Amino acid sequence: MIFNVKNAPYNAVGDGTALDRQAIQNAIDAAEAAGGGVVYIPKGTYKLDGGQEDGQDGRPEGGLKVEDDGVILEGEGRETVLKYYNNSPASHIIPLHFTKPPSADKPDLKNVGVRDLTIEFANAGPDSAGGLTMTGCVDFFCERITVRGNGTGMSGSTTNGITINTFSSDGIISGCVVEGVSKPGIYLSAAARVTVVGCMSKKNLCTAPGTPEAGAGFQIAQVEAVSLIDCYATGSAVGFNVVCMGGDYGSGTIDASPAPSPTSFNVTLVQAKANSALFMRRLGIWNPTTQRIEELRGTSATLVSGKTWTVTLPADNTQTIAAGATIFVNYHPFKNVRIIGGSAKDNVVVYQIPDPQNPNTLKTIVAGVGVNVSSFQPGAVGRDLVISGLVCEGNPDAGIIMSVVEDAIVEGCILRNNRVGIQLSDVGTADAIEQTKRILVSGCEIYDNENVGVHLRSVEDVTVQGTRIYRTKNTVQTAPIRIERVDADRRKTTNLKLRDLDFSGYNISTPVIPTSGDSDAVEDGLYDLAFFGSPEGNLYAPAGSRYLDRATGNVYRKVHGWKKNNWMASLVTHYRFEGTTTSAPVNLYALPDNSVVHASVVAVARNANGDCAVYRRALGARRQSSALAVAVGEVQTIGTDGTNNPGWGFTLNVQNNFIRASIVGGIGANIDWLIRTEIDVYTA
């Protein structure tokens, strides 16, 4: 059935002046009474007043509500405007809310949807709720909805655009636009199996005191199996915000009496919200060994008295349940999240804080992140995250910041003109550390960022491969890859793999820079890199790493240790002996200070007449305390020289801190020499 809000008996006006909230609500009520139907709202501007503060069910009466299954609201796109006037002190009133009454045991509102509507705010909107909010909805859709605030943020408010929350699942949000609200444009909280497609969020900046960075284009928290596909975020503090939320619904400790068992325990909460019964199905327990919060799945809970609950666990539970352990209500870190395509561009927030150097003055902060992945609760770690084909550009902080996440992939992304391309960081506290691990960055273009291309801070098991980390101008991205600890108490970055990376446009000595040298350098993992110049004395790398000098074609291997010395070199020297003299010196290797070196040399020579020779030599040398290098022992001839021209010759020596070859040939012979030198170097 179709219920036209302008028809009798509803008689909505839609002229922007008459108060139409009650007329539209009557049409919704009629659809609910009929078991479902389409509430049709023709083009026009429908003024929604705030209504009264207290209703019969304890909820504010303002705003439109859908509370039964099978109801769909449909308008005519931007020509159907629900204009919300917050003329009530109840700032939490929601203009359009799909929800069952809170008395329902399980908040499942099924087969509902809304399409082709515009919601506008005349002034500040609801506090930390959306212009459109869908609570506990199952099998829902939200199509071509526009939510507009009154400018870049709404003065003094914390209003979302579209909010999907409280166990909503199996839904799709498509073709929606949110602009000028104060908190996330599209916010998914405690939702599962929701896909957001082709949506745009712009100019959402929080103006409430003390929360300048709360505005986000898209925010997802406590979600599972959520995808954002071809979505665009610009002009907010954060483009895409993926977070593990804190324990907003209470926490407590397991009671000692009755004694807890693997299948049952009592917990007394320190604090709890009125509707905690809806969230006691999702619990977490602190594990002091792993320093993590672990999920307690398959639970049921019964309120005993006050804030004490009896929790029942499955018979096959293997988790340790002990008196005094901390329990968290509504614990559900994000998992299986995908951001595919789209962009996060020019997300900028400007605000002021007291200057630490001069508390009497204000310091201007310019911030903004393309994608931020983090946790608000120590020990809560998100996992199974994929960011693919996203463009992050023009964000004052970073294109992508990821912390407190496991099993994440960043692939095929373009990260340019940010302060940092991508930053992976542990932000562990004293009681919850080492939370960022198993990260893959692959096939990305990371270039022309202001400071660093890839920034790694106390992370574990990270692979960066098949990626270009380059610059097109000399004034930007001074460090391709920078490595450091979060602070002195944090671990080093461990098990780092770097392979098949393109570093172009640099004039520095090494592409991988540990900020504090030995203190930050990676000790385990594997590098396979190509850059200009020798790695000896420049590049820290784990044992077994490989390095190609693009300027010479020389290949180096790290045979032991992780410090920047002790590379084994395979050097190739090509020299054309023009034959105007009978001998010439060729420098093969410069000896580092305080080192002992063994050189194995194979020289191959030939001329246009077919004359040829092969020479094999070995030489030891050392250099100590900046003194001139000297030979260690005699030059060894390995096997027998092979030559069919007795006028040619080849010798090795140490001179002026070089291992040097002397080649001999006849005048006019025009000999081509190819000399391969294997260097084993030991530096204390």
Side-chain angles (χ1 to χ4, degrees):
M1 297 180 63
I2 298 177
F3 301 83
N4 189 325
V5 301
K6 283 193 172 183
N7 290 347
Y10 320 117
N11 299 321
V13 179
D15 63 356
T17 301
L19 296 178
D20 286 319
R21 181 186 62 83
Q22 191 60 58
I24 300 174
Q25 186 63 56
N26 290 342
I28 294 172
D29 294 344
E32 292 175 342
V38 175
V39 177
Y40 174 58
I41 308 174
K43 62 182 178 181
T45 299
Y46 299 83
K47 184 176 179 180
L48 307 181
D49 60 321
Q52 300 299 313
E53 165 66 13
D54 192 18
Q56 295 298 317
D57 57 5
R59 292 185 303 147
E61 286 295 333
L64 301 171
K65 300 178 188 65
V66 177
E67 298 180 315
D68 278 309
D69 299 343
V71 176
I72 296 171
L73 269 62
E74 182 173 324
E76 296 186 37
R78 293 193 172 227
E79 295 187 276
T80 298
V81 179
L82 304 180
K83 194 154 190 174
Y84 172 64
Y85 285 75
N86 184 12
N87 61 341
S88 165
S91 62
H92 54 288
I93 291 172
I94 299 169
L96 178 55
H97 195 182
F98 287 74
T99 180
K100 280 190 174 179
S103 59
D105 292 334
K106 191 175 182 182
D108 291 341
L109 185 60
K110 298 179 179 178
N111 300 317
V112 294
V114 56
R115 61 167 63 99
D116 298 318
L117 287 176
T118 296
I119 298 173
E120 289 187 352
F121 297 94
N123 47 34
D127 183 17
S128 292
L132 165 63
T133 299
M134 306 188 81
T135 299
C137 294
V138 178
D139 297 326
F140 68 90
F141 66 84
C142 175
E143 298 175 349
R144 298 179 299 278
I145 300 300
T146 299
V147 180
R148 284 199 289 260
N150 56 345
T152 56
M154 300 154 70
S155 179
S157 75
T158 56
T159 297
N160 304 322
I162 298 172
T163 298
I164 312 296
N165 62 8
T166 316
F167 311 126
S168 292
S169 65
D170 305 291
I172 186 165
I173 304 168
S174 65
C176 296
V177 178
V178 180
E179 179 177 7
V181 298
S182 302
K183 287 184 77 177
I186 295 180
Y187 185 17
L188 275 61
S189 175
R193 299 180 301 281
V194 177
T195 299
V196 184
V197 181
C199 293
M200 176 174 288
S201 190
K202 54 186 178 180
K203 298 181 181 178
N204 302 315
L205 295 170
C206 192
T207 54
T211 56
E213 297 182 272
F218 300 82
Q219 181 162 310
I220 49 183
Q222 295 178 300
V223 300
E224 185 170 353
V226 165
S227 298
L228 282 68
I229 302 172
D230 288 336
C231 293
Y232 300 84
T234 185
S236 301
V238 180
F240 296 84
N241 203 22
V242 184
V243 295
C244 294
M245 299 296 288
D248 293 341
Y249 288 86
S251 61
T253 56
I254 295 178
D255 297 342
S257 179
S261 74
T263 59
S264 180
F265 62 87
N266 276 17
V267 58
T268 299
L269 303 179
V270 177
Q271 77 283 334
K273 289 188 176 182
N275 58 347
S276 287
L278 298 176
F279 302 98
M280 288 296 294
R281 292 177 290 157
R282 305 206 302 192
L283 299 177
I285 184 170
W286 176 257
N287 186 326
T289 301
T290 62
Q291 298 184 334
R292 303 289 178 88
I293 305 173
E294 298 178 353
E295 294 180 76
L296 285 177
R297 282 301 176 215
T299 62
S300 62
T302 304
L303 182 63
V304 178
S305 62
K307 297 179 181 178
T308 299
W309 296 75
T310 296
V311 177
T312 302
L313 303 178
D316 59 354
N317 174 57
T318 59
Q319 290 170 289
T320 300
I321 308 297
T326 302
I327 295 294
F328 299 88
V329 179
N330 194 31
Y331 176 71
H332 188 72
F334 70 82
K335 61 182 68 173
N336 193 4
V337 172
R338 280 155 175 73
I339 302 174
I340 310 296
S343 69
K345 298 177 65 174
D346 300 325
N347 291 286
V348 182
V349 58
V350 181
Y351 58 96
Q352 292 183 319
I353 61 172
D355 189 338
Q357 305 301 322
N358 187 355
N360 295 322
T361 62
L362 294 176
K363 181 180 180 180
T364 299
I365 302 296
V366 180
V369 179
V371 179
N372 180 64
V373 182
S374 63
S375 175
F376 294 162
Q377 185 171 9
V381 182
R383 56 174 43 88
D384 305 334
L385 170 67
V386 175
I387 303 174
S388 178
L390 185 71
V391 177
C392 296
E393 179 179 8
N395 304 290
D397 282 332
I400 297 175
I401 294 179
M402 299 176 67
S403 59
V404 195
V405 62
E406 297 178 345
D407 303 314
I409 295 175
V410 179
E411 62 180 5
C413 294
I414 297 175
L415 312 174
R416 65 186 175 214
N417 299 328
N418 311 286
R419 184 180 63 83
V420 174
I422 181 169
Q423 177 177 294
L424 308 179
S425 178
D426 183 27
V427 292
T429 62
D431 58 353
I433 59 175
E434 300 184 4
Q435 299 175 332
T436 305
K437 60 181 64 175
R438 297 190 299 277
I439 313 294
L440 171 64
V441 179
S442 178
C444 295
E445 296 279 320
I446 304 174
Y447 67 99
D448 288 356
N449 297 285
E450 179 183 341
N451 190 352
V452 180
V454 176
H455 194 186
L456 306 177
R457 305 173 73 238
S458 299
V459 292
E460 178 183 344
D461 196 1
V462 172
T463 298
V464 185
Q465 67 180 23
T467 290
R468 299 178 62 197
I469 309 172
Y470 63 101
R471 63 181 187 175
T472 65
K473 46 190 176 183
N474 293 332
T475 58
V476 295
Q477 202 163 293
T478 54
I481 300 176
R482 184 174 295 279
I483 302 172
E484 64 183 3
R485 302 187 191 205
V486 172
D487 57 49
D489 296 327
R490 295 298 175 265
R491 59 179 173 171
K492 286 185 173 186
T493 289
T494 61
N495 195 14
L496 174 62
K497 281 84 68 179
L498 305 175
R499 59 173 68 99
D500 190 21
L501 304 179
D502 180 5
F503 306 106
S504 300
Y506 294 96
N507 56 0
I508 54 180
S509 60
T510 176
V512 183
I513 303 172
T515 299
S516 300
D518 290 2
S519 177
D520 292 329
V522 175
E523 298 184 23
D524 60 344
L526 190 68
Y527 298 176
D528 190 348
L529 302 175
F531 197 61
F532 293 93
S534 167
E536 184 67 34
N538 295 314
L539 178 61
Y540 290 88
S545 294
R546 179 180 180 275
Y547 177 93
L548 170 66
D549 182 351
R550 293 178 61 186
T552 63
N554 296 331
V555 176
Y556 300 78
R557 292 189 181 276
K558 201 71 160 56
V559 292
H560 62 87
W562 51 269
K563 296 186 178 181
K564 58 186 177 181
N565 300 314
N566 303 323
W567 286 88
M568 183 182 77
S570 178
L571 313 178
V572 178
T573 303
H574 181 260
Y575 182 81
R576 183 172 177 81
F577 190 94
E578 297 294 345
T580 57
T581 60
T582 58
S583 64
V586 179
N587 290 333
L588 300 181
Y589 183 74
L591 279 82
D593 197 13
N594 298 318
S595 66
V596 176
V597 171
H598 178 266
S600 298
V601 180
V602 176
V604 180
R606 71 182 302 275
N607 65 11
N609 297 326
D611 294 335
C612 62
V614 177
Y615 304 93
R616 304 175 184 88
R617 300 285 187 271
L619 173 66
R622 67 180 175 89
R623 186 182 177 198
Q624 185 69 26
S625 301
S626 300
L628 287 176
V630 296
V632 177
E634 300 293 329
V635 176
Q636 301 294 313
T637 298
I638 305 171
T640 303
D641 292 339
T643 178
N644 60 5
N645 191 325
W648 297 359
F650 182 88
T651 59
L652 282 184
N653 65 351
V654 178
Q655 187 175 356
N656 296 330
N657 296 329
F658 280 93
I659 293 177
R660 173 178 287 189
S662 295
I663 55 179
V664 178
I667 295 176
N670 293 328
I671 308 168
D672 273 332
W673 291 81
L674 186 66
I675 307 170
R676 182 176 296 277
T677 308
E678 297 286 345
I679 297 291
D680 293 294
V681 57
Y682 175 75
T683 304

